[in-house]
Amino acid sequence: MIALALHADTRERGSVSPVLLAVEHEAERARLAVEDLALASRGRRRRDRRAAVDVDRFLREQADLWRPVARAAGSDITAPSSSGPGTRVLGDRGRLAQITSNLIANALEHGEGTVTIGARQQGDRVQIVVGDEGPGPGTQRRRVPGGSRGHGLNVIADLARRNGGRLLCESGAHGSAMTVDLPGAVLGP
């Protein structure tokens, strides 16, 4: 049904609505979660498909997908280019989208102000950072009506581990940030 709506929107407007793209993205994220649950009930796990992913391009795409949602929540989202040209991370693109989406949703639901997503190179590692202007985890954070109470950070930490990384939480006087530290992709000669 979503694909049909995207097709109709493209025919009618000449382009796809950002809101419909966000819906399609969320439907794919939900499909992955359902697939994970079905496999887990049988003691199995979906095999991740690792490849080199251009970090800045990936994060700009994520920001574009989430911007309509952020604005509907009374916020905004920015993705300043920060990791340097050609920075790549080694991971499963679908899982990286799942990680980033969960972090952005968490920042929108519990944080305050503008959500910023970016990356930084740390030696042979790449850190994807999602921050907001609210207090950090472990402090009293706001809740959006209708928001979920789940195990999102545990899911993110597990997905990060599966992609050779780890989840880090940072908070300070000027906001909080969740960082996923991942292996960088080394490009051949």
Side-chain angles (χ1 to χ4, degrees):
M1 179 186 273
I2 293 171
L4 183 60
L6 288 168
H7 179 71
D9 193 48
T10 302
R11 274 195 359 226
E12 188 174 306
R13 294 170 19 113
S15 65
V16 178
S17 157
V19 173
L20 280 178
L21 283 175
V23 169
E24 178 188 39
H25 178 71
E26 280 303 288
E28 176 60 16
R29 197 166 67 111
R31 187 194 64 75
L32 279 174
V34 169
E35 182 180 311
D36 286 344
L37 288 172
L39 289 170
S41 71
R42 296 188 304 253
R44 297 179 50 213
R45 176 183 282 190
R46 178 182 159 278
R47 183 174 166 91
D48 293 332
R49 297 173 200 95
R50 289 190 184 186
V53 176
D54 181 299
V55 175
D56 278 344
R57 181 181 305 145
F58 173 77
L59 293 179
R60 280 192 310 273
E61 290 168 1
Q62 292 297 302
D64 290 345
L65 283 170
W66 278 91
R67 193 163 285 113
V69 176
R71 289 185 177 149
S75 185
D76 199 6
I77 187 165
T78 64
S81 180
S82 57
S83 62
T87 299
R88 293 181 176 3
V89 67
L90 182 62
D92 182 303
R93 187 177 180 82
R95 295 303 186 180
L96 294 174
Q98 196 174 6
I99 289 169
T100 307
S101 292
N102 284 346
L103 290 175
I104 293 169
N106 187 63
L108 289 171
E109 183 178 345
H110 301 290
E112 297 171 8
T114 298
V115 173
T116 303
I117 61 175
R120 57 186 174 231
Q121 183 90 38
Q122 298 285 323
D124 64 346
R125 310 285 294 175
V126 175
Q127 295 180 336
I128 294 175
V129 183
V130 177
D132 65 67
E133 297 165 332
T139 60
Q140 185 64 34
R141 290 176 57 96
R142 76 180 176 99
R143 292 197 57 76
V144 172
S148 64
R149 290 186 185 269
H151 303 285
L153 294 181
N154 290 332
V155 169
I156 295 166
D158 180 58
L159 290 171
R161 276 191 300 276
R162 287 169 58 178
N163 280 278
R166 61 192 173 129
L167 175 65
L168 308 166
C169 303
E170 309 165 36
S171 59
H174 302 290
S176 74
M178 304 298 285
T179 301
V180 178
D181 179 72
L182 297 162
V186 179
L187 301 177

